[in-house]
Amino acid sequence: MNQQPPASPEPSPVAHLEFKAALLLVLLVLLLVGSVLYVMYARGVFEATQRLVLVADDSEGVTVGMDMTFSGFPIGRVRRIELAEDGAARILIDVPKKDARWLRESSVFTLVRGLVGNVAIRAYSGVLSDPPLPDGAVRRVLVGDATAEIPQLVAATRDLVRNLTALSNADSALTATLGNVQAATERLKGRHGALGVLLGNDDDAKKLIAALDRTNALLARVDGLAARVDGLVAKADVQVFGPEGVMPETRAAIVQLNGTLADARNTLKQADKLLAEAQAVATNAKVASADLGTLRAEVESSLRKVEHLVNEINRKWPFARDTELKLR
Amino acid sequence: MLSRPGALTDMGRAVLRWFGGWWRIIHLGALLLVLALSPSSYARANRAAMARHIYLGTAPILLWFTLLSSLLGLILIRIVVVTAASYGLSQYALQMVVRVLVLELIPLTAAIFVALRIGLPDGRELARMRSRGELDALRQQGLDPLRHEVLPRVIAGAFAVMMLAAVAGVVTLVLAYLTVHGFTLGGLERYTRTVGQVFTPAVTLIFTIKTFLLALAVSLLPVASALYDLPRGRTRTSAELQALVRLFLVMLLIEAASLVGNYY
């Protein structure tokens, strides 16, 4: 079209020229208006929002327009960042009303700095049944610097991995315990169940069961015995306390015994008398024995005189020569 | 050069001529702006000429440009997304695509395309009409050549730049969405949010002003070069080529200014 002769001021006419030109104009206007509306929508102009103020020590990296996420979903955007009177940074966030239900009184907000310096504001709501966050709420934001904690984290992770390795070794206590637990559960599934686990072997379990059986039999017999004892007690009752029982007879016997005791008392009195007489007899006997002592003394002196006499005779008698001592 | 007597005066004269040339362009731009804003420019006869220039200028290149920019955009989007994903930064890929393509490359490409397909041919046509005395003939008939021949061409050029930039921008946004999320509506909300994060009020304002200035430069400068005997200095290049160089210089300045505004 550039090579047409410039002398011709009226080039070939185009059908419906003005309509087509108007169409182009309308298309451009539509595109522009549509783009403007889309961008406004994208920037949340048409959303009803509520305000949330996060207070941080350092707002570095936070930019106006960035998102606040909840479970990875953007639910709010930073509208303004300002410096408060006390020097803290105030991050003003607009949260659309429809997303505000995720924020609760107990929600926690974090400002996390990533490895490449990117910053993310995140919200966490542990208890979603708490009362919702009011409009204009001011919250402290927890700042976490990912790079600052990496060395600590690595050291802690290494320890953890070492412990885990030790735990999961083939000869570790945990493995042995798990083995035992498995054996125990196997036994639980066995014939004697938990009893087998408690006693350790089947024989003892059998014994215990046998003992239980015998105890049951014994209890049955004890029941019978108790019934018989009941009968016996009833009978004894009749025997002891009945009209012809032991007790009335005992009472009669006691009356008789009283009479016997009176008799015995009389008998004892007579015995006393007898004893007094016997005492008198004894006194006489003592006097007699005193006379006997005198008699014996006289007999002894007579004997001594006789012996003296014998001795005198023996000395004067010449038949006994050998009695003299001879000196040489 | 300074060894020759009078060299300094020559240089001063050249500088003056240079400023004079730019002043004429700005003056012409102001005149055309006033004409464009006055309702009498849109009288019936004039409107037909304007419609013809707008339609014949924009319609033939719209499809081609959209196809070419889509192809280029697709390649760039793919490169950016794949590279960003390989670094684990895919969440920034979309932002980068929107910034690089929609904000920077597409308006510039549209302006260059329109300059080569509409602006420069229009300038040559006007220059020939002027050299043949057709403009003077119009003036003798009591018609303002500025209003009847120049204004429709300038408006058509500016319109073409905005049209191409708008269509290609929208197509690129759609292509970026399709490349990242595929044929599903699931990612629309997140994508909209990303676009919203890129188009802050300041960026949108700078983008609009930049596109407008580029459109103006592309449509006005070649025409101005044709209407006036702008100073050519000692260069031996043709007036057309010189107009092109002048145009690229202005576009470079506008682009640089917008970059400074956006990123500083």
Side-chain angles (χ1 to χ4, degrees), chain A residues 175-188:
Chain A
T175 315
T177 311
L178 284 175
N180 289 341
V181 168
Q182 193 178 4
T185 49
E186 287 293 334
R187 198 167 279 174
L188 268 180

PDB file of all heavy atoms in Angstrom, chain A residues 175-188:
ATOM      1  N   THR A 175      14.332 -52.088  69.158  1.00  0.00           N
ATOM      2  CA  THR A 175      14.035 -53.236  68.310  1.00  0.00           C
ATOM      3  C   THR A 175      13.718 -54.460  69.165  1.00  0.00           C
ATOM      4  O   THR A 175      12.756 -55.192  68.896  1.00  0.00           O
ATOM      5  CB  THR A 175      15.225 -53.530  67.399  1.00  0.00           C
ATOM      6  OG1 THR A 175      15.684 -52.310  66.858  1.00  0.00           O
ATOM      7  CG2 THR A 175      14.834 -54.454  66.277  1.00  0.00           C
ATOM      8  N   ALA A 176      14.533 -54.654  70.221  1.00  0.00           N
ATOM      9  CA  ALA A 176      14.290 -55.802  71.095  1.00  0.00           C
ATOM     10  C   ALA A 176      12.922 -55.693  71.740  1.00  0.00           C
ATOM     11  O   ALA A 176      12.153 -56.663  71.795  1.00  0.00           O
ATOM     12  CB  ALA A 176      15.377 -55.867  72.168  1.00  0.00           C
ATOM     13  N   THR A 177      12.610 -54.467  72.226  1.00  0.00           N
ATOM     14  CA  THR A 177      11.303 -54.262  72.856  1.00  0.00           C
ATOM     15  C   THR A 177      10.186 -54.572  71.886  1.00  0.00           C
ATOM     16  O   THR A 177       9.206 -55.238  72.233  1.00  0.00           O
ATOM     17  CB  THR A 177      11.195 -52.803  73.320  1.00  0.00           C
ATOM     18  OG1 THR A 177      12.367 -52.489  74.032  1.00  0.00           O
ATOM     19  CG2 THR A 177       9.985 -52.609  74.203  1.00  0.00           C
ATOM     20  N   LEU A 178      10.373 -54.086  70.674  1.00  0.00           N
ATOM     21  CA  LEU A 178       9.338 -54.339  69.668  1.00  0.00           C
ATOM     22  C   LEU A 178       9.190 -55.827  69.412  1.00  0.00           C
ATOM     23  O   LEU A 178       8.073 -56.337  69.260  1.00  0.00           O
ATOM     24  CB  LEU A 178       9.673 -53.600  68.371  1.00  0.00           C
ATOM     25  CG  LEU A 178       9.409 -52.097  68.412  1.00  0.00           C
ATOM     26  CD1 LEU A 178       9.875 -51.456  67.130  1.00  0.00           C
ATOM     27  CD2 LEU A 178       7.929 -51.833  68.620  1.00  0.00           C
ATOM     28  N   GLY A 179      10.361 -56.529  69.406  1.00  0.00           N
ATOM     29  CA  GLY A 179      10.315 -57.981  69.224  1.00  0.00           C
ATOM     30  C   GLY A 179       9.520 -58.637  70.343  1.00  0.00           C
ATOM     31  O   GLY A 179       8.651 -59.481  70.097  1.00  0.00           O
ATOM     32  N   ASN A 180       9.824 -58.182  71.591  1.00  0.00           N
ATOM     33  CA  ASN A 180       9.092 -58.748  72.729  1.00  0.00           C
ATOM     34  C   ASN A 180       7.608 -58.458  72.629  1.00  0.00           C
ATOM     35  O   ASN A 180       6.769 -59.319  72.915  1.00  0.00           O
ATOM     36  CB  ASN A 180       9.634 -58.178  74.039  1.00  0.00           C
ATOM     37  CG  ASN A 180      11.019 -58.723  74.326  1.00  0.00           C
ATOM     38  OD1 ASN A 180      11.400 -59.737  73.759  1.00  0.00           O
ATOM     39  ND2 ASN A 180      11.766 -58.038  75.168  1.00  0.00           N
ATOM     40  N   VAL A 181       7.312 -57.229  72.260  1.00  0.00           N
ATOM     41  CA  VAL A 181       5.904 -56.855  72.129  1.00  0.00           C
ATOM     42  C   VAL A 181       5.230 -57.752  71.101  1.00  0.00           C
ATOM     43  O   VAL A 181       4.100 -58.219  71.296  1.00  0.00           O
ATOM     44  CB  VAL A 181       5.788 -55.369  71.717  1.00  0.00           C
ATOM     45  CG1 VAL A 181       4.357 -55.060  71.307  1.00  0.00           C
ATOM     46  CG2 VAL A 181       6.178 -54.479  72.875  1.00  0.00           C
ATOM     47  N   GLN A 182       5.982 -58.028  70.045  1.00  0.00           N
ATOM     48  CA  GLN A 182       5.396 -58.888  69.007  1.00  0.00           C
ATOM     49  C   GLN A 182       5.123 -60.291  69.557  1.00  0.00           C
ATOM     50  O   GLN A 182       4.057 -60.870  69.346  1.00  0.00           O
ATOM     51  CB  GLN A 182       6.356 -58.948  67.836  1.00  0.00           C
ATOM     52  CG  GLN A 182       5.718 -59.545  66.598  1.00  0.00           C
ATOM     53  CD  GLN A 182       6.664 -59.550  65.436  1.00  0.00           C
ATOM     54  OE1 GLN A 182       7.823 -59.172  65.582  1.00  0.00           O
ATOM     55  NE2 GLN A 182       6.177 -59.952  64.296  1.00  0.00           N
ATOM     56  N   ALA A 183       6.145 -60.816  70.315  1.00  0.00           N
ATOM     57  CA  ALA A 183       5.960 -62.142  70.901  1.00  0.00           C
ATOM     58  C   ALA A 183       4.757 -62.139  71.830  1.00  0.00           C
ATOM     59  O   ALA A 183       3.932 -63.065  71.832  1.00  0.00           O
ATOM     60  CB  ALA A 183       7.218 -62.540  71.669  1.00  0.00           C
ATOM     61  N   ALA A 184       4.643 -61.039  72.640  1.00  0.00           N
ATOM     62  CA  ALA A 184       3.524 -60.952  73.579  1.00  0.00           C
ATOM     63  C   ALA A 184       2.197 -60.928  72.841  1.00  0.00           C
ATOM     64  O   ALA A 184       1.239 -61.603  73.249  1.00  0.00           O
ATOM     65  CB  ALA A 184       3.678 -59.704  74.442  1.00  0.00           C
ATOM     66  N   THR A 185       2.162 -60.149  71.756  1.00  0.00           N
ATOM     67  CA  THR A 185       0.893 -60.092  71.012  1.00  0.00           C
ATOM     68  C   THR A 185       0.592 -61.428  70.370  1.00  0.00           C
ATOM     69  O   THR A 185      -0.564 -61.852  70.306  1.00  0.00           O
ATOM     70  CB  THR A 185       0.939 -59.004  69.939  1.00  0.00           C
ATOM     71  OG1 THR A 185       2.145 -59.153  69.193  1.00  0.00           O
ATOM     72  CG2 THR A 185       0.904 -57.624  70.536  1.00  0.00           C
ATOM     73  N   GLU A 186       1.661 -62.150  69.933  1.00  0.00           N
ATOM     74  CA  GLU A 186       1.445 -63.496  69.390  1.00  0.00           C
ATOM     75  C   GLU A 186       0.794 -64.379  70.447  1.00  0.00           C
ATOM     76  O   GLU A 186      -0.146 -65.125  70.183  1.00  0.00           O
ATOM     77  CB  GLU A 186       2.781 -64.114  68.951  1.00  0.00           C
ATOM     78  CG  GLU A 186       3.363 -63.513  67.692  1.00  0.00           C
ATOM     79  CD  GLU A 186       2.509 -63.811  66.474  1.00  0.00           C
ATOM     80  OE1 GLU A 186       1.790 -64.826  66.481  1.00  0.00           O
ATOM     81  OE2 GLU A 186       2.556 -63.006  65.525  1.00  0.00           O
ATOM     82  N   ARG A 187       1.343 -64.281  71.690  1.00  0.00           N
ATOM     83  CA  ARG A 187       0.818 -65.106  72.770  1.00  0.00           C
ATOM     84  C   ARG A 187      -0.610 -64.702  73.107  1.00  0.00           C
ATOM     85  O   ARG A 187      -1.450 -65.535  73.461  1.00  0.00           O
ATOM     86  CB  ARG A 187       1.730 -64.945  73.982  1.00  0.00           C
ATOM     87  CG  ARG A 187       1.542 -66.054  74.975  1.00  0.00           C
ATOM     88  CD  ARG A 187       2.633 -66.065  75.992  1.00  0.00           C
ATOM     89  NE  ARG A 187       3.846 -66.713  75.496  1.00  0.00           N
ATOM     90  CZ  ARG A 187       4.960 -66.724  76.197  1.00  0.00           C
ATOM     91  NH1 ARG A 187       5.024 -66.121  77.342  1.00  0.00           N
ATOM     92  NH2 ARG A 187       6.028 -67.340  75.709  1.00  0.00           N
ATOM     93  N   LEU A 188      -0.855 -63.363  73.018  1.00  0.00           N
ATOM     94  CA  LEU A 188      -2.225 -62.866  73.272  1.00  0.00           C
ATOM     95  C   LEU A 188      -3.208 -63.526  72.323  1.00  0.00           C
ATOM     96  O   LEU A 188      -4.339 -63.828  72.696  1.00  0.00           O
ATOM     97  CB  LEU A 188      -2.268 -61.363  73.075  1.00  0.00           C
ATOM     98  CG  LEU A 188      -2.037 -60.499  74.300  1.00  0.00           C
ATOM     99  CD1 LEU A 188      -2.122 -59.050  73.927  1.00  0.00           C
ATOM    100  CD2 LEU A 188      -3.066 -60.810  75.378  1.00  0.00           C
TER     101      LEU A 188
END
